[in-house]
């Protein structure tokens, strides 16, 4: 795996919102020794702020609005997958992509799709992770990069980073601190993953 022209793994980053993790991945890929390049940023929301950020960084972008597909999640995913193939994508990095995936897409990218989640999995899969960590009185919070499998936020863990809880933390303050940790963790975890993939071929 890797583009023979660049010697780097071609990664697509899938987003639904601001795309700060996506921006961290693009910036990391500027390093001469980075084993991946961001070949595409794709969103299910045409107005996602992250698309403008990616364009500004000179990365190809695409949007596949999920709304015209109604309840047919797989049809939406087939349209997404076609664009990934057009761009010769080898690894998919979900970064705030707020869609539940069907088994079809998960199987199609099995072992080649990563996600970042704002909790120390297996704690707090799903939404509202920071409020749940605060309500539980946890002493630390954090984020996880994992492989995507059919169970939501259940796939094998590749890397984690912890952040301390502070006495006056709110969901917002904790989310900000965890997000900063995500920006360091995801590029490192994706680079390690891509290096391992390149070695195994
Ligand atoms: C990040 O905190 C990411 O971990 C989370 O959404 C945020 C996206 O921020 N993802 C999930 O909750 C997925 N279940 P970003 O768009 O600025 O990268």
């Amino acid at each position: 795996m890797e583009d023979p022209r660049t010697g780097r793994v071609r990664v697509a980053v899938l987003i639904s919102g601001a795309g700060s993790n996506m921006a961290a991945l693009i910036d990391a890929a500027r390093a001469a020794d980075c084993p991946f390049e961001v070949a595409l940023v794709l969103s299910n929301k045409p107005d996602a702020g992250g698309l403008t950020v990616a364009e500004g960084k000179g990365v190809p972008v695409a949007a596949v609005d999920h709304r015209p597909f109604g309840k047919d999640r797989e049809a939406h995913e087939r349209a997404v997958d076609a664009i990934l193939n057009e761009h010769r994508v080898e690894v998919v990095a979900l970064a705030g992509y707020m869609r539940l995936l069907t088994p079809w897409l998960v199987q199609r990218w099995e072992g080649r799709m990563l996600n970042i989640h704002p909790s120390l999995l297996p704690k707090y899969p799903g939404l509202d992770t920071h409020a749940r960590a605060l309500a539980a009185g946890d002493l630390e919070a954090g984020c996880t990069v994992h492989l995507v499998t059919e169970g939501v936020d259940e796939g094998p863990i590749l890397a984690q980073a912890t952040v301390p809880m502070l006495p006056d933390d709110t969901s917002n303050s904790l989310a900000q601190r965890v997000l900063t940790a995500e920006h360091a963790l995801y590029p490192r975890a994706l680079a390690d993953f891509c290096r391992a993939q390149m070695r195994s071929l």
Side-chain angles (χ1 to χ4, degrees), residues 17-22 95-98 115-118 126 153 179 182-183:
S20 67
N21 277 291
M22 169 275 296
Y97 187 66
M98 305 309 266
N115 181 43
I116 188 154
H117 183 76
D153 302 326
L179 194 58
E182 292 181 43
H183 298 161

Side-chain angles (χ1 to χ4, degrees), residues 2-199:
E2 80 226 38
D3 188 326
R5 284 173 294 190
T6 62
R8 297 182 187 219
V9 176
R10 293 176 64 79
V11 173
V13 185
L14 269 53
I15 63 167
S16 298
S20 67
N21 277 291
M22 169 275 296
L25 294 174
I26 293 173
D27 292 347
R30 293 209 173 105
D33 61 348
C34 184
F36 64 84
E37 61 185 302
V38 179
L40 175 71
V41 171
L42 185 148
S43 177
N44 65 305
K45 295 198 171 178
D47 59 352
L51 289 177
T52 314
V53 174
E55 269 183 320
K57 291 177 179 289
V59 173
V61 300
V64 185
D65 192 344
H66 61 277
R67 289 170 298 188
F69 294 90
K71 291 202 166 98
D72 195 346
R73 287 179 178 273
E74 194 178 305
H76 174 253
E77 290 175 350
R78 285 183 185 275
V80 168
D81 190 60
I83 296 179
L84 298 177
N85 292 334
E86 274 169 31
H87 288 261
R88 295 180 292 113
V89 168
E90 297 166 301
V91 168
V92 172
L94 306 181
Y97 187 66
M98 305 309 266
R99 297 282 298 166
L100 291 174
L101 304 183
T102 74
W104 181 79
L105 193 71
V106 172
Q107 283 163 22
R108 168 89 183 81
W109 289 91
E110 189 180 1
R112 298 182 298 148
M113 183 183 274
L114 283 62
N115 181 43
I116 188 154
H117 183 76
S119 78
L120 294 170
L121 291 173
K123 277 188 164 183
Y124 316 127
L127 299 175
D128 300 324
T129 55
H130 305 303
R132 289 152 72 199
L134 283 165
D138 291 353
L139 296 178
E140 60 181 15
C143 48
T144 303
V145 175
H146 65 95
L147 280 172
V148 175
T149 55
E150 286 182 30
V152 176
D153 302 326
E154 278 181 11
I157 290 171
L158 300 177
Q160 290 185 309
T162 58
V163 303
M165 293 280 206
L166 302 181
D168 53 356
D169 255 335
T170 63
S171 286
N172 282 344
S173 65
L174 185 56
Q176 275 311 314
R177 200 158 350 99
V178 171
L179 194 58
T180 301
E182 292 181 43
H183 298 161
L185 181 70
Y186 210 177
R188 184 161 54 76
L190 180 60
D192 288 348
F193 176 80
C194 290
R195 280 194 199 96
Q197 294 287 312
M198 287 158 76
R199 274 198 300 272

